[in-house]
Amino acid sequence: DRVRAPPAAPARELRDHRLRWLLCFRDIARATDERTAITCVVEGTGVSNKAPLIQFEVMEDGTGWTEAAGSALVLACMDSLVLDWAARFSVGGINMNFFIVKQLPVLPPDAFLDEALSGVTYAELVIPRVLELTYTAWDLEPFARDLGYGGDPFPWDEERRHRLKCELDAIFAHLYHLDRPDLEWILDAPYPSASFPGLKRNELKQFGEYRTQR
């Protein structure tokens, strides 16, 4: 009555099921950090419990979206200032737990299908910017290829990257239907409230102005 070992899976089957890239978020969320919700794409490899994974299903709904496109949209939403502002009200300690992540106001997929400009959806505005911000090294070549981009990694340009992130924050302000006073409050709530004191303090020290607000 010996327990028999299961037959070995064919090497081809193992290769086909290898994860090429992962979407994860940072478990630590200290009040002194610039941002609370920090999400990123990493090469398909082992991760620790301090970098929990975000996984979701891509429905066959005729949109032609790939899993990479869905991940790019979730990534941009999770890293937006608007969602980060909401996350700050949810984290009571220093840990971004799963039960908090599941309650964050992540936009539904159909929101990105609305037209931002004539004939251009929000998804078409968001995904190319996410691609340029993430694909800065060959490690994420599979992610770039899955997004339909066949070129080399983008050069790391701080000014260009800051502008792209600000454009994404503006896009998400529209997606969340915020008006100008709403966004001004999120960026820099008046005393005794505080929105992003770490970000403001660091930018004033480095650039002499709160450039994200500008």
Side-chain angles (χ1 to χ4, degrees), residues 118-170:
S118 179
V120 180
T121 65
Y122 282 104
E124 292 171 310
L125 292 180
V126 171
I127 292 175
R129 288 169 170 82
V130 174
L131 169 66
E132 186 170 343
L133 287 168
T134 56
Y135 186 37
T136 58
W138 288 106
D139 305 59
L140 288 179
E141 181 183 8
F143 183 64
R145 299 296 181 258
D146 287 351
L147 287 175
Y149 178 73
D152 293 344
F154 293 91
W156 188 283
D157 183 325
E158 285 288 353
E159 289 298 322
R160 170 73 176 169
R161 291 178 62 80
H162 183 259
R163 181 170 184 83
L164 289 172
K165 288 187 282 188
C166 287
E167 289 175 355
L168 283 171
D169 285 325

Side-chain angles (χ1 to χ4, degrees), residues 20 31 38 41 46 57 71 85 94 147 164 170 172 182 198 202:
R20 304 178 72 189
I38 300 177
V41 173
E57 293 182 1
S71 293
W85 184 75
I94 62 169
L147 287 175
L164 289 172
F172 277 93
D182 291 333
N202 291 341

